[in-house]
Amino acid sequence: MPNPHPTDSTIRVVLLDDHEIVRHGVAELVNAEPDMSVVGEAGSSAEMLTVVARYEPDVAVLDVRLGANSASGIATCREIRAAHPETQCLILTSFADDEALVDAALAGAAGFVLKQIRGNDLVESIRKVADGAQLLDAAEMRMAMQRLRSSEAGALEALTDKERKVFELIGEGRSNREIGDALFIAEKTVKNYVSSVLAKLGMVRRTEAAALAARLEERQRRKYD
């Protein structure tokens, strides 16, 4: 259970996970340590942002995949780091993949660990990020980004020039009508192009394509920062 009144020397931790049992398990683990305490918990991104603003923790431990009505843990990390840069974020997830690893780093996370991690290793990771350590290995990040770029670039190469333009406009948040106006084609034709783009990218929803376009733009921007 949260302890909102730790001592000044205690590492103040907040937890984000949509599974209450998981939160309580991690809280018991953290609260058993003499130098750290869970001061707040949340089951959704919106709730977490309120908790962080209220308790100003040293470390936020964030699950990646949350309920359908919540932003992801990585998106939450980005908001926390923007509004509360003194709070370090540790991403805790059940699944390891290059996309999540790269996105976590771009969001400003200090660490990325699997839920299968041993309890003493998790609390040690919390201590390290609270002390300012970066647990995301630079070489590992470069390799993950290379693999991801290669995979995504290969997928985009399958698009025709017109499909690539439709993809870019989807990334800008344009509606089918707006895309049609921009490319001087009928809205029905745009729908056909969108369906083809999604099929070639192995996607089901338009939002997936928009997210990919945003990631590619962010990585390109950071490349020249």
Side-chain angles (χ1 to χ4, degrees):
M1 296 299 292
N3 171 22
H5 303 293
T7 65
D8 290 341
S9 61
T10 301
I11 298 172
R12 300 159 58 87
V13 180
V14 293
L15 307 175
L16 170 61
D17 197 300
D18 58 340
H19 293 97
E20 185 177 8
I21 293 176
V22 174
R23 292 201 311 271
H24 286 183
V26 176
E28 286 184 10
L29 187 68
V30 171
N31 288 332
E33 299 297 311
D35 61 337
M36 60 180 66
S37 178
V38 172
V39 296
E41 298 178 16
S44 69
S45 176
E47 186 182 358
M48 186 56 156
L49 296 176
T50 299
V51 167
V52 171
R54 178 177 180 183
Y55 295 113
E56 299 181 349
D58 301 299
V59 179
V61 180
L62 312 169
D63 186 22
V64 171
R65 300 187 180 185
L66 303 170
N69 296 322
S70 174
S72 71
I74 291 176
T76 307
C77 169
R78 186 178 297 109
E79 292 200 48
I80 290 173
R81 294 294 295 158
H84 307 276
E86 70 284 355
T87 296
Q88 301 300 320
C89 293
L90 182 64
I91 302 296
L92 185 62
T93 180
S94 300
F95 307 97
D97 61 69
D98 291 336
E99 181 179 328
L101 180 61
V102 170
D103 286 347
L106 293 177
F112 184 95
V113 296
L114 295 178
K115 286 185 176 179
Q116 295 90 328
I117 191 173
R118 294 172 55 185
N120 59 332
D121 291 333
L122 175 59
V123 294
E124 187 58 30
S125 295
I126 293 173
R127 284 194 186 94
K128 288 179 178 178
V129 298
D131 197 38
Q134 265 289 341
L135 303 186
L136 289 170
D137 181 77
E140 183 183 8
M141 277 299 306
R142 285 195 297 271
M143 291 177 64
M145 190 167 284
Q146 272 186 339
R147 290 191 298 266
L148 196 57
R149 282 174 174 165
S150 176
S151 173
E152 291 175 341
L156 292 181
E157 285 175 1
L159 302 181
T160 65
D161 290 343
K162 185 61 69 67
E163 288 169 344
R164 183 64 178 265
K165 186 61 180 177
V166 169
F167 169 77
E168 291 171 355
L169 292 171
I170 289 174
E172 293 176 8
R174 305 282 192 95
S175 67
N176 284 351
R177 177 173 293 181
E178 290 171 332
I179 293 174
D181 290 343
L183 300 181
F184 305 103
I185 56 179
E187 188 173 349
K188 182 178 180 180
T189 304
V190 174
K191 291 180 181 179
N192 292 335
Y193 274 121
V194 171
S195 296
S196 180
V197 168
L198 294 181
K200 288 184 178 181
L201 295 180
M203 297 174 176
V204 177
R205 294 182 296 275
R206 185 191 193 97
T207 52
E208 295 177 85
L212 171 58
R215 286 197 304 273
L216 294 175
E217 182 180 355
E218 173 74 2
R219 289 169 198 153
Q220 187 69 14
R221 183 184 65 78
R222 285 177 177 267
K223 180 179 178 181
Y224 295 104
D225 279 352

